[in-house]
Amino acid sequence: MRVLLIGSGGREHALATALAADPAVTELHCAPGNPGIGAVARLHPADLGDLDGLASLAVEVTADLVVVGPEVPLVAGVADVLRAKGIAVFGPSKAAARLEGSKDFAKSVMAAAGVPTARSRTCTEPAEVAAALDEFGPPYVVKNDGLAAGKGVVVSTERVTALRHAAECGRVVVEEYLAGPEMSLFVVTDGTTAVPLPPAQDFKRIGDGDTGPNTGGMGAYAPLPWAPPSLVDDVLATVVRPTLGELRRLGTPFAGLLYVGLAITADGPKVIEFNCRFGDPETEVVLPLLETPLAGLLHAAATGRLADHPPLRWRPGAAVTVVVAAAGYPGTPRTGDPISGADLAGVLHCGTRAVDGALVSSGGRVLACTATGPTLPDARAAAYALVDGVRLAGSQHRTDIALAAVEGRIRIPR
Ligand code: AMP
Ligand code: GLY
């Protein structure tokens, strides 16, 4: 199978590593990729905004399967352009990707399907925003309606902060605050059959102890030792199947990776957000645990044959990833700094680039130091050992990834 992977971050490096390890994959291409991905795939220059260019590349490399990493080309409709050329693609259509592309659309699908989520109001006028803030009370949650690269959400106890964010965004969803530990559940689906991967937890804030502004994600671990054994089946029954059913009913079945972001509240799991693609950095910890060859699984989903796919096999143990970010992140990051210690197995490249043969930083999140181990503490220690080996001037990382889970401090409210 010839596979073309689209994207260039740590998620794509994790996907490329797993795809390259699948014996069925005879050629792996990546557009545009990064120097880390270049060690396992052939890289092609690409502009993710040029959908026809991506489709031409898929034709040129005679791809049997295209795997789309990031949301921007999916929301723009790259899957439709590829399917129109008869190419199997793992990733939802433009219509189904609205589940991530519009928070308001996601809320309306959940309402129609009876899916548990925070109560919300979609607002455009300052007066509507103010009324919604007062209706739900603090902490205030204000979300940009459209895509915002992980930075569209403000959660604050300050009413002025919430009002300011709403004014900057234009159209927003104001919603009730959900208290409880968060988890990310990935579901591989062909629109009908749903295959869950083990839940993971992401760390959204820049600072230790969940302080400071939101980021694209500073680390992750899987599986979740604190999650009740019935949790995944619960979420499949209350969230995933009704949502997939509603999208089929609308005539826009969702085929690809349904990412369900949840808070586990006193009233059970409730949806915080849907994404239409693998999460970053959760993918970095989920895929190393998968023993089943990845390309076969994604191809079955892309071609509507997931019901015939054998059950997934998982490696025992746990995985942890710690993101090393550039100085300045999540504001404007400093780029172009030399990096060393990034060539070990498990050091996944997020924002790196080669300049005259030297590796330099090229984005906010630079590396995702990822390790597995027989237990969560072992995986955590191994991931931090990789972080210790990295040299990048001014870099930042959290020191508490997976710590509360290791120490048994995560509690579901009751
Ligand atoms: P999102 O981009 O929707 O995932 O939001 C980013 C982060 O904001 C989430 O991971 C949560 O930590 C937080 N968040 C979003 N919505 C809520 C909510 N209704 N209640 C509590 N926290 C939330
Ligand atoms: N880990 C959060 C995201 O991928 O959106």
Side-chain angles (χ1 to χ4, degrees):
M1 191 186 331
R2 287 175 298 268
V3 180
L4 170 63
L5 171 65
I6 294 176
S8 65
R11 164 186 50 211
E12 286 76 19
H13 196 174
L15 282 161
T17 304
L19 290 167
D22 183 336
V25 174
T26 50
E27 271 177 41
L28 181 60
H29 299 268
C30 187
N34 64 39
I37 299 171
V40 292
R42 203 174 124 209
L43 304 185
H44 302 265
D47 167 3
L48 297 190
D50 175 10
L51 307 187
D52 291 325
L54 293 171
S56 302
L57 175 62
V59 170
E60 189 186 311
V61 303
T62 56
D64 302 299
L65 173 68
V66 177
V67 177
V68 186
E71 63 274 20
V72 171
L74 288 168
V75 170
V78 74
D80 308 75
V81 176
L82 288 160
R83 283 193 190 108
K85 292 199 183 288
I87 298 168
V89 45
F90 183 77
S93 68
K94 178 175 182 168
R98 287 179 71 208
L99 217 44
E100 172 163 4
S102 167
K103 304 260 183 207
D104 180 52
F105 176 72
K107 285 290 185 189
S108 73
V109 168
M110 286 189 270
V115 169
T117 184
R119 290 180 298 132
S120 71
R121 296 270 175 271
T122 301
C123 311
T124 43
E125 297 302 321
E128 291 175 296
V129 173
L133 293 176
D134 294 338
E135 177 183 355
F136 300 129
Y140 302 108
V141 181
V142 178
K143 303 187 173 186
N144 195 335
D145 180 48
L147 286 185
K151 293 171 194 166
V153 177
V154 159
V155 179
S156 173
T157 52
E158 301 301 322
R159 201 165 175 280
V160 284
T161 306
L163 284 168
R164 195 186 318 122
H165 183 60
E168 282 163 8
C169 293
R171 185 171 150 96
V172 294
V173 172
V174 175
E175 68 179 34
E176 163 196 25
Y177 179 80
L178 299 176
E182 286 180 41
M183 83 173 198
S184 305
L185 181 69
F186 294 171
V187 178
V188 174
T189 179
D190 55 11
T192 306
T193 301
V195 176
L197 310 187
Q201 195 173 47
D202 176 18
F203 292 74
K204 285 263 162 78
R205 305 275 188 153
I206 185 79
D208 280 358
D210 294 327
T211 53
N214 269 335
T215 69
M218 293 299 290
Y221 67 96
L224 309 178
W226 49 268
S230 60
L231 187 60
V232 171
D233 283 343
D234 247 24
V235 175
L236 285 175
T238 61
V239 175
V240 174
R241 290 197 195 99
T243 300
L244 295 178
E246 175 62 15
L247 287 164
R248 283 197 305 274
R249 201 187 64 76
L250 291 172
T252 58
F254 185 103
L257 195 291
L258 179 64
Y259 166 131
V260 189
L262 299 142
I264 316 305
T265 76
D267 301 325
K270 293 192 180 180
V271 174
I272 285 186
E273 63 166 343
F274 284 127
N275 291 325
C276 67
R277 38 77 196 171
F278 281 99
D280 197 354
E282 297 96 316
T283 303
E284 285 92 314
V285 290
V286 170
L287 292 184
L289 300 174
L290 179 67
E291 203 171 84
T292 302
L294 182 64
L297 173 67
L298 302 186
H299 190 261
T303 52
R305 294 180 298 105
L306 207 47
D308 304 330
H309 193 273
L312 302 187
R313 294 188 315 276
W314 296 96
R315 300 193 175 95
V320 173
T321 190
V322 179
V323 168
V324 175
Y329 185 72
T332 307
R334 197 172 82 199
T335 58
D337 285 310
I339 307 166
S340 66
D343 42 10
L344 298 178
V347 181
L348 302 176
H349 290 218
C350 309
T352 71
R353 140 176 122 81
V355 175
D356 301 331
L359 192 69
V360 302
S361 57
S362 68
R365 292 186 293 172
V366 180
L367 301 169
C369 296
T370 309
T372 56
T375 67
L376 188 58
D378 293 322
R380 185 171 188 276
Y384 276 105
L386 290 174
V387 174
D388 286 341
V390 169
R391 290 287 166 271
L392 169 65
S395 72
Q396 338 170 45
H397 66 269
R398 280 183 63 157
T399 67
D400 65 348
I401 303 301
L403 186 59
V406 163
E407 294 178 346
R409 286 191 279 111
I410 299 186
R411 295 268 178 280
I412 297 169
R414 35 190 303 156

